[in-house]
Amino acid sequence: MPADLPLEEPERRVNVRPYETAGAPADPAPAAPPAADSARGGHVWERTFLPWDLYFAVVWLGTVLFALSAESPGLRVRVVSACLFCLPVPWYLCVGRPLLCRQAETTGGPAAVRYLTGLVLLFLPPAALVGETRLATFALVPQCFMLLRVPGALAAVAVVNVTPVAAWAVVWRPSTHDLFYNSVFGMVTLAFSAVVGSWIIRIIEQSTERAQLVAELEASRGEIARLSAEHGALAERERLSREIHDTLAQGFISLVMLVQAVEGELDTHPAQARRHLDLMGRTARENLAEARALVAGTAPAGLDGTSLPDALRRLAARHSEQSGAAAAVSVSGRVRALAPAVEVVALRSCQEALSNARRHAGPAVPVSLDVDYAADALRLTVRDTGCGFTPGSAPGTGYGLPGLRARAAELGGTATVSSAPGAGTCVTVRLPLAADALLGSDDALLEPAHPPARSAEASRSAP
């Protein structure tokens, strides 16, 4: 799975418009919002309707008290008005409250229109008898916005605020001053109801949009976490594959080759067979040490308590013992401690290059290993004079060369292989040392620099 696997879903709309006008084209269905009973899901006002019940009860009681305590008209009329004002209560409890509790399903429907029409008709008689009863508009207006879409709600609010004043004026024929005062009061309450109601509706819309966006973000975060876990597992599997290939697998190949050599030497060259048996024992112990280091996640056994040049010299000596060919190591530049990751990649790269030389270069082919400590990079060159191969057609389809390039690329470096039939093979690995500049001081020197066997330029250009 590539690291740049696209994680985005096709673009879709996350805005939810529960109050769009009827007949508007429907948008694609967005992802379901969080459950209302979840810790972060749903709206606070949707979890219980009790606060609205208490609000309507307080407004109703305040309106009754306000109407009974009015200065005019007479007490009998005020009592009749208060009694008439009790009629909307059962209408609300039996019809309105169930609709309000299911407003997501009933908004703008015929049942909502019927309920609000009946509520206004029941409200008009007491409002026409006693003007103070118009205080109940503070309970009627929220219900309009809760049960109707915005255009219909604004029309209903206008009816609730204007018709009681008109009915009161028709019944009592007030003076011009009183009519003007009540008309201005009705227009102010109408403007207030329209502005505040529309503003609250917009807040609800934004809250719904954000809840929808949070739900999508949480779903995307879960998907990203799943893909990241899969990618991490794949990357770790690839890393372990490279480690096993460059350590245990190479050791087992060496053991197989030594077993084959011993089988042919037991009768004719017993001394040589005993030497190879001793080498098999050391190779098996080194493999065991590498396996323990791999399990523990520590530094490779070859770098445990030693410098990189010393580890490469031991590696070259073991190559000579196993292949019978000379392996020379030359170090140039100022040797210094490097980051563990750089030294591990350098050691594994040389192991892979020497293993390929043993298997593909031919019998007893000399190998040279050049290490150049430059100011900004560590350059390793492993060169043999074997049979070589045609570029673009590396022998076999194994994991070695791709793993070698992958190791170098993880540190921002490069690994190149140049060869030609009959002209040998040259493997060059360059690892940047920008992060290790502070480790290159004089007190970090591990050994004096050795004169290079050949120039760095020759190492890069030699076949």
Side-chain angles (χ1 to χ4, degrees):
M1 181 175 66
D4 57 347
L5 181 67
L7 302 178
E8 295 184 358
E9 296 180 354
E11 183 178 358
R12 59 183 179 178
R13 178 180 174 185
V14 298
N15 294 350
V16 179
R17 304 284 188 182
Y19 298 97
E20 289 177 344
T21 57
D27 291 324
D37 56 351
S38 63
R40 299 177 60 183
H43 300 292
V44 173
W45 57 83
E46 292 176 347
R47 297 178 185 175
T48 176
F49 204 77
L50 182 60
W52 283 113
D53 290 333
L54 295 176
Y55 171 75
F56 294 148
V58 169
V59 173
W60 179 85
L61 181 61
T63 301
V64 171
L65 295 178
F66 197 47
L68 292 176
S69 61
E71 296 180 356
S72 63
L75 178 61
R76 182 176 302 176
V77 176
R78 297 199 302 270
V79 172
V80 170
S81 175
C83 293
L84 292 175
F85 189 65
C86 292
L87 296 178
V89 174
W91 182 250
Y92 164 77
L93 294 176
C94 297
V95 180
R97 192 177 188 280
L99 293 175
L100 292 169
C101 292
R102 297 181 294 110
Q103 57 181 287
E105 305 172 8
T106 59
T107 298
V113 175
R114 287 195 298 269
Y115 164 70
L116 290 176
T117 301
L119 189 64
V120 172
L121 293 177
L122 293 174
F123 169 65
L124 280 178
L129 293 176
V130 179
E132 285 76 1
T133 311
R134 292 196 299 273
L135 181 66
T137 55
F138 287 99
L140 272 62
V141 168
Q143 297 184 50
C144 296
F145 281 103
M146 294 167 72
L147 293 176
L148 299 176
R149 293 183 173 86
V150 174
L154 292 176
V157 167
V159 171
V160 168
N161 282 276
V162 173
T163 52
V165 177
W168 173 79
V170 170
V171 171
W172 295 107
R173 307 282 181 174
S175 64
T176 304
H177 176 270
D178 292 340
L179 179 61
F180 175 78
Y181 173 79
N182 283 270
S183 299
V184 171
F185 181 80
M187 295 305 297
V188 170
T189 56
L190 171 61
F192 174 81
S193 301
V195 172
V196 174
S198 301
W199 178 62
I200 292 175
I201 291 300
R202 181 55 187 157
I203 292 177
I204 294 175
E205 289 180 355
Q206 289 182 345
S207 175
T208 304
E209 294 171 6
R210 290 170 182 170
Q212 191 69 35
L213 181 58
V214 167
E216 293 186 1
L217 290 177
E218 289 181 346
S220 299
R221 184 172 61 183
E223 181 68 9
I224 291 173
R226 183 185 66 82
L227 293 175
S228 298
E230 292 181 358
H231 181 69
L234 181 60
E236 180 64 12
R237 191 180 307 119
E238 292 179 350
R239 185 190 71 83
L240 289 176
S241 298
R242 289 197 301 267
E243 292 291 337
I244 293 173
H245 176 273
D246 294 343
T247 56
L248 303 183
Q250 301 291 1
F252 291 140
I253 292 174
S254 299
L255 288 173
V256 171
M257 295 173 62
L258 290 172
V259 168
Q260 293 172 348
V262 169
E263 288 177 347
E265 296 167 347
L266 281 176
D267 297 330
T268 58
H269 300 86
Q272 185 73 4
R274 282 194 295 271
R275 190 178 69 83
H276 282 162
L277 285 173
D278 179 66
L279 183 57
M280 288 173 59
R282 283 191 285 125
T283 302
R285 286 191 292 271
E286 290 171 358
N287 248 28
L288 179 59
E290 290 287 1
R292 288 172 174 168
L294 184 61
V295 171
T298 57
L303 289 173
D304 190 11
T306 187
S307 65
L308 176 61
D310 289 339
L312 296 180
R313 292 189 184 100
R314 288 197 298 271
L315 185 64
R318 186 164 63 249
H319 172 81
S320 298
E321 291 179 340
Q322 294 175 354
S323 64
V329 178
S330 64
V331 181
S332 62
R334 187 176 56 183
V335 179
R336 57 193 183 275
L338 304 178
V342 175
E343 294 189 341
V344 169
V345 171
L347 178 64
R348 298 300 188 216
S349 299
C350 291
Q351 285 178 328
E352 177 60 28
L354 292 176
S355 174
N356 287 338
R358 286 196 300 271
R359 287 185 288 170
H360 306 298
V365 174
V367 177
S368 63
L369 198 159
D370 301 330
V371 185
D372 179 23
Y373 281 84
D376 60 343
L378 176 69
R379 186 176 294 104
L380 304 113
T381 305
V382 181
R383 184 183 298 102
D384 65 68
T385 57
C387 60
F389 59 91
T390 302
S393 59
T397 57
Y399 191 81
L401 292 180
L404 187 148
R405 294 188 180 97
R407 283 184 180 276
E410 286 180 354
L411 299 182
T414 58
T416 58
V417 180
S418 58
S419 182
T425 303
C426 179
V427 178
T428 303
V429 179
R430 184 185 182 278
L431 304 175
L433 299 180
D436 305 298
L438 296 179
L439 298 177
S441 58
D442 293 337
D443 57 350
L445 296 180
L446 300 179
E447 58 180 57
H450 296 271
R454 56 183 60 86
S455 66
E457 185 63 28
S459 298
R460 289 194 296 270
S461 62

